[in-house]
């Protein structure tokens, strides 16, 4: 029984680590404009690897030297797909083990099954990202579902690790943390909308935008969901005012999330079982502020932009860990009995 539990935990932890890596690599794919490196799915011009599509890639690259199809972008896109497929197989293995050994593990396989459904939906959005030619709504949903898979894998992993027992008043933090996690989800979605609309550089000054606190903006155009990349629902090219609205909302909502989660995490550090992830939240909030401002001042350097995406993933997993710990009993440390005097 111990061997089964050990194998299951190792599989869950490895899959969780790969999920986090895939989130980071997915950001790299998007930020290097490699999402259409292979403009079909699941293969690359009908081939399993770009090696079998060399002539098609060369023709597309010669026709549009600065277009979305190059050999390097094709490999970046296909490696992302390969790792995603491997991740799906690992989650299937988790479901099989969780179902087969549910008595030995002492857990319901329901969460593992939900994770499998989520990764299948995520794969579907990955395919639609290509077939819908990087449609912003589809790409943003792909990002959100990717982080949802990470959250579910973090949940699976966190409940496999013991933690210190909670104090009697610790549960008072749970509704506040749920609220903070929902705010974080909204902010991540807004960040995805900024990235998929290439609005990160719509405002190049700070704290104002175009020298104004409330610049001219087109919220209706910027937040129209059903439209193609770089255009409005009418088919016209998206305006700078619409891009400014996208950037401005994400930037200013970030201050609300920063204040809410910052104060909450600082106060939750008083709880021993939550001190580690709460401290991580504080560190990541500071890092997000730094990378966000650096993206503006240095005009979106690739490494900083990828780290900004990674910070969002880190905040997600830290919040989920705290929610899991607030929902499960801790393990008391063994204390040697005191020697009584006769």
């Amino acid at each position: 029984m111990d061997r089964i539990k050990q194998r299951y935990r190792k599989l869950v932890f490895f899959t969780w680590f790969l999920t986090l890596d895939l989130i980071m690599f997915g950001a790299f794919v998007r930020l290097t404009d490699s999402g259409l490196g292979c403009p079909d799915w699941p293969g690359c011009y009908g081939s399993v690897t770009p090696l079998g599509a060399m002539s098609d890639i060369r023709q597309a690259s010669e026709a549009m030297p600065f277009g979305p199809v190059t050999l390097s972008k094709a490999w970046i896109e296909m490696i992302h797909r390969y790792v995603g497929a491997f991740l799906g197989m690992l989650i299937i293995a988790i479901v099989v083990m969780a179902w087969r050994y549910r008595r030995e593990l002492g857990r319901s396989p329901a969460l593992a099954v939900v994770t499998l459904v989520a990764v299948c939906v995520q794969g579907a959005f990955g395919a639609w990202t290509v077939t819908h030619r990087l449609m912003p709504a589809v790409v943003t949903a792909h990002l959100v579902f990717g982080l949802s898979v990470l959250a579910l894998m973090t949940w699976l992993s966190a409940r496999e690790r013991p933690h210190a027992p909670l104090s009697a008043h610790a549960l008072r933090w749970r509704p506040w943390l749920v609220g903070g996690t929902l705010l974080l989800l909204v902010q991540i979605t807004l960040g995805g909308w900024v990235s998929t609309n290439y609005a990160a550089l719509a405002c190049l000054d700070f704290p104002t935008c175009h020298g104004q606190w409330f610049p001219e903006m087109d919220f209706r155009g910027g937040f129209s969901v059903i439209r193609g990349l770089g255009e409005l629902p009418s088919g016209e090219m998206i305006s700078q005012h619409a891009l400014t609205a996208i950037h401005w909302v994400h930037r200013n909502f970030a201050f609300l999330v920063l204040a809410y989660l910052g104060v909450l995490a600082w106060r939750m550090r008083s709880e021993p079982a939550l001190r580690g992830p709460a401290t991580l939240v504080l560190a990541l909030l500071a890092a997000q502020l730094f990378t966000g401002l650096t993206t503006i001042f240095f005009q979106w350097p690739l490494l900083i932009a990828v780290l900004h995406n990674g910070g969002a993933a880190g905040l997600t997993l830290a919040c989920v860990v705290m929610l899991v710990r607030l929902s499960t009993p801790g393990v008391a440390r063994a204390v040697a009995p005191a020697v009584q005097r006769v």
Side-chain angles (χ1 to χ4, degrees):
M1 183 180 299
D2 289 340
R3 182 179 298 178
I4 292 173
K5 288 183 177 179
Q6 215 39 35
R7 287 171 54 194
Y8 178 76
R9 288 173 180 171
K10 288 181 179 179
L11 177 60
V12 167
F13 291 144
F14 176 73
T15 307
W16 169 83
F17 180 73
L18 186 65
T19 304
L20 180 59
D21 289 344
L22 189 61
I23 293 290
M24 297 289 288
F25 193 73
F28 180 76
V29 171
R30 185 172 66 259
L31 294 168
T32 54
D33 296 326
S34 301
L36 294 179
C38 289
D40 54 339
W41 195 90
C44 189
Y45 288 99
S47 299
V48 178
T49 72
L51 293 176
M54 292 290 290
S55 60
D56 294 294
I57 294 173
R58 188 180 300 110
Q59 289 178 11
S61 180
E62 290 174 355
M64 296 181 65
F66 299 100
V69 180
T70 64
L71 183 59
S72 60
K73 290 181 179 180
W75 274 112
I76 291 172
E77 169 65 8
M78 289 306 296
I79 290 173
H80 181 250
R81 295 183 193 180
Y82 299 149
V83 177
F86 182 54
L87 175 66
M89 290 187 287
L90 289 175
I91 293 177
I92 291 174
I94 289 173
V95 172
V96 171
M97 283 197 71
W99 190 273
R100 182 177 179 181
Y101 301 111
R102 56 189 180 277
R103 292 183 179 177
E104 290 86 344
L105 296 173
R107 299 190 184 279
S108 168
L111 182 58
V113 173
V114 171
T115 306
L116 177 59
V117 172
V119 81
C120 289
V121 174
Q122 167 70 352
F125 273 104
W128 294 334
T129 294
V130 176
T131 58
H132 286 75
R133 316 300 293 178
L134 303 182
M135 182 178 179
V138 175
V139 180
T140 301
H142 186 50
L143 168 67
V144 172
F145 271 100
L147 288 174
S148 298
V149 174
L150 176 63
L152 290 167
M153 282 306 310
T154 302
W155 189 353
L156 279 169
S157 302
R159 69 179 188 176
E160 295 299 323
R161 298 192 64 176
H163 60 83
L166 299 166
S167 63
H169 58 275
L171 292 182
R172 76 184 191 275
W173 299 120
R174 187 157 56 186
W176 294 98
L177 183 58
V178 170
T181 304
L182 291 176
L183 286 176
L184 177 63
L185 175 60
V186 173
Q187 176 65 358
I188 288 172
T189 304
L190 290 172
W193 195 244
V194 169
S195 179
T196 55
N197 283 280
Y198 296 91
L201 301 181
C203 296
L204 293 176
D205 52 333
F206 182 86
T208 58
C209 180
H210 303 307
Q212 302 176 54
W213 292 106
F214 297 97
E216 187 176 352
M217 293 177 279
D218 177 14
F219 291 99
R220 183 175 181 180
F223 290 94
S224 297
V225 176
I226 308 302
R227 59 178 174 80
L229 176 63
E231 61 184 34
L232 298 173
S234 62
E236 300 176 22
M237 181 178 296
I238 192 168
S239 67
Q240 181 64 33
H241 297 321
L243 296 176
T244 299
I246 295 171
H247 181 107
W248 187 89
V249 171
H250 174 62
R251 177 192 289 192
N252 287 279
F253 196 81
F255 291 114
L256 173 62
V257 176
L258 181 68
Y260 186 100
L261 283 181
V263 172
L264 182 61
W266 181 264
R267 298 192 66 181
M268 291 176 70
R269 289 181 72 254
S270 61
E271 185 67 35
L274 306 176
R275 184 172 298 136
T279 303
L280 178 60
V281 167
L282 291 173
L284 288 173
L285 287 173
Q288 285 297 86
L289 180 62
F290 173 77
T291 54
L293 294 178
T294 305
T295 297
I296 295 172
F297 294 139
F298 293 95
Q299 300 188 13
W300 210 10
L302 178 60
L303 176 61
I304 298 299
V306 171
L307 290 176
H308 195 62
N309 282 263
L315 285 169
T316 300
L317 66 89
C319 288
V320 171
V321 168
M322 289 191 289
L323 284 171
V324 172
R325 292 187 179 183
L326 286 170
S327 304
T328 55
V331 178
R333 296 179 180 178
V335 179
V339 179
Q340 297 182 352
R341 296 177 180 268
V342 179

